[in-house]
Amino acid sequence: MLPRDGLDEGSLLRRIIDASMLDPDHIETFLALFGGHLADTSRQLLRELANSGIEATVKAAVDRWEGRRRELGLRRDRINRTIERLEAQPHRSGDEEDELASLRASGRS
C-alpha cells in the first residue's frame, strides 16, 4: 500500500527522490549493484531518471495509484449499496439471489 504521506516532506518517497536528485553517488552505487549486466544505454537512462526525471515519474505513479484507489473505493461502495438494497427485499427472484451471491463474492475478493 502506498504510504498516506505520498510525496510529503520527510516521507519515504520524498527521501528516495531527494537522494537520487541531490546525491550523484546514489545512482552510481545503485548501478554498481548490477556489475557489468547493464548496457551503457540503460546506465545512462537510469542516470537521467535519477538526476531529473524521477520526481515527475514518481508523482505520476502516485497520482495513478491514488486515482485507482479512489475508483476501487467507489466501486466497493456501489457494490455494498446494491447488496443492502437486495438484502432489504423480502422476496428475491432467482436472478436477484444470483446477483446477490455474485456481489458478495466480489466484495470478498
Side-chain angles (χ1 to χ4, degrees), residues 42-81:
S42 297
R43 289 178 180 281
Q44 187 56 38
L45 288 171
L46 286 168
R47 283 184 188 103
E48 290 171 14
L49 176 67
N51 291 329
S52 61
I54 192 167
E55 186 165 19
T57 300
V58 171
K59 183 178 182 332
V62 167
D63 290 346
R64 281 191 309 273
W65 177 280
E66 289 298 326
R68 182 69 174 142
R69 192 171 69 103
R70 277 190 301 277
E71 177 186 316
L72 290 172
L74 292 171
R75 179 172 183 243
R76 180 200 59 227
D77 294 345
R78 284 192 305 272
I79 289 170
N80 287 337
R81 283 192 305 272

Side-chain angles (χ1 to χ4, degrees), residues 27 30 56:
I27 187 63
F30 177 74

Side-chain angles (χ1 to χ4, degrees), residues 9 11 14 25 31 34 49 52 54 56 61 64 69 79 84 87 90 93 95 99 108:
E9 193 63 38
S11 71
R14 174 86 269 154
D25 293 334
L31 292 172
F34 294 94
L49 176 67
S52 61
I54 192 167
R64 281 191 309 273
R69 192 171 69 103
I79 289 170
E84 289 170 5
E87 287 176 338
S93 69
D95 286 345
E99 180 181 11
R108 287 190 295 267

